[in-house]
Amino acid sequence: MTVHGGRRTQAERDAITVEIGYALYSATFAAAVVLGAVTGPALLFDLPEIVEATLSYAGPVLATALFAVRTVTVLVRFRRAVQPSQPGRTSPDS
């Protein structure tokens, strides 16, 4: 993240902490929505056993996969983002 090769500044460490928190929060929210959407019908409706079993198994699997993909995607996107060289200033391209 640092271009000069030195230690990270407090602002850079704070930005990383906020981004990790955002990645975990948004991934948890997305996984909970998918879990409810996939597993919910099996709990609410009287479905055939094979359908209930499939939905009950697929919900946690899809939610776990989505959690991992969302977390990695957010953190990789943050790492690739060009940060302004001076705090409080935008880059000349913006």
Side-chain angles (χ1 to χ4, degrees):
M1 179 151 185
T2 57
V3 178
H4 52 22
R7 298 181 68 161
R8 290 187 175 119
T9 64
Q10 184 63 42
E12 290 171 330
R13 290 193 307 265
D14 290 345
I16 292 168
T17 302
V18 168
E19 198 65 22
I20 290 170
Y22 169 72
L24 293 175
Y25 180 79
S26 66
T28 300
F29 180 76
V33 168
V34 166
L35 180 66
V38 175
T39 308
L43 300 173
L44 293 175
F45 302 114
D46 187 25
L47 300 172
E49 285 184 37
I50 188 73
V51 175
E52 280 188 22
T54 302
L55 291 176
S56 296
Y57 177 76
V61 170
L62 289 173
T64 303
L66 177 64
F67 180 86
V69 169
R70 176 67 181 164
T71 303
V72 170
T73 301
V74 169
L75 294 177
V76 167
R77 190 179 325 142
F78 174 73
R79 185 174 182 189
R80 289 184 184 168
V82 177
Q83 302 295 320
S85 58
Q86 296 177 356
R89 308 256 175 129
T90 58
S91 63
D93 298 344
S94 61

